[in-house]
Amino acid sequence: MKQAYMNMRNFWLDVKNLENRKGVIEIGPDEISVAGIEMAFLDGAETKHLFLATNSLGDSSLYFENNSKSGLGGVIGGHGHEALQEAAARMLAHASKLTGKMTAVPVANEMPAPTSPAMVRLFAVSKKKLFHIEIAETELRKPENDFYPFFAYSQQTLGFFRQQETAASAKEAHS
């Protein structure tokens, strides 16, 4: 993984970055403040990654490795985009209900990246623990899978980011 991508990924996986912000809510018995997904994708023969995270303040970010000088692309969103905030909040709420089915490690530990483009890493973060699980995307798309709502809301959030970018590009083109 490229360093700029790793820096943003690590920022979101450390909820200490939220400690001094007002309004942070800790959800569920494990007091989750951040949740999201990470996916791998192929760019030619190279494996790159996409990372989506949201926190209980309503902030969401999408980062992806690309071929730019920094190796990082991304979009920050949430505030002022009600549908994106709602999908992200639902993703966070579902993640907080599923921590007992994920691997739990102390926050200082690293979370492994997805092992292949067919796999998705879902995660939830509290002040003390990092919860994560890797599941095949084909399994996550099955409504009977316990993680289906978590994954479905992540995909809606990604869709709202795409809409936000498309609208911004169209506005810029008309200026």
Side-chain angles (χ1 to χ4, degrees):
M1 281 186 230
K2 300 195 171 143
Q3 190 59 50
Y5 176 85
M6 288 295 296
N7 291 346
M8 296 316 301
R9 181 184 195 263
N10 291 338
F11 174 85
W12 279 91
L13 295 176
D14 183 357
V15 295
K16 290 178 186 163
N17 293 313
L18 299 176
E19 284 182 342
N20 295 323
R21 295 185 62 190
K22 292 181 181 180
V24 174
I25 300 167
E26 295 171 336
I27 302 168
D30 288 305
E31 301 176 329
I32 300 303
S33 297
V34 174
I37 64 162
E38 185 171 33
M39 302 171 79
F41 62 94
L42 290 176
D43 183 12
E46 187 179 356
T47 299
K48 294 184 179 174
H49 296 87
L50 173 146
F51 186 88
L52 169 69
T54 192
N55 66 43
S56 61
L57 292 169
D59 300 331
S60 295
S61 290
L62 170 64
Y63 300 102
F64 48 90
E65 290 180 290
N66 64 18
N67 296 323
S68 69
K69 187 175 180 179
S70 70
L72 177 71
V75 185
I76 298 171
H79 292 291
H81 193 297
E82 198 171 306
L84 191 152
Q85 278 186 308
E86 183 177 329
R90 289 177 185 264
M91 178 179 64
L92 188 62
H94 277 279
S96 72
K97 296 174 188 175
L98 296 165
T99 54
K101 296 181 180 201
M102 297 183 198
T103 299
V105 295
V107 167
N109 289 16
E110 287 197 25
M111 180 179 77
T115 56
S116 79
M119 304 300 287
V120 178
R121 174 89 43 199
L122 299 101
F123 64 89
V125 190
S126 73
K127 287 182 183 173
K128 297 176 186 165
K129 292 182 182 175
L130 167 61
F131 302 88
H132 62 88
I133 189 168
E134 184 178 59
I135 302 174
E137 184 175 349
T138 55
E139 291 301 310
L140 288 170
R141 293 188 178 281
K142 295 178 180 176
E144 63 273 11
N145 187 307
D146 290 342
F147 287 88
Y148 172 81
F150 183 172
F151 181 70
Y153 286 122
S154 76
Q155 298 309 289
Q156 283 184 357
T157 303
L158 286 171
F160 289 127
F161 271 118
R162 282 188 210 108
Q163 281 180 345
Q164 184 177 308
E165 277 300 293
T166 301
S169 294
K171 186 177 180 181
E172 193 174 287
H174 287 44
S175 298

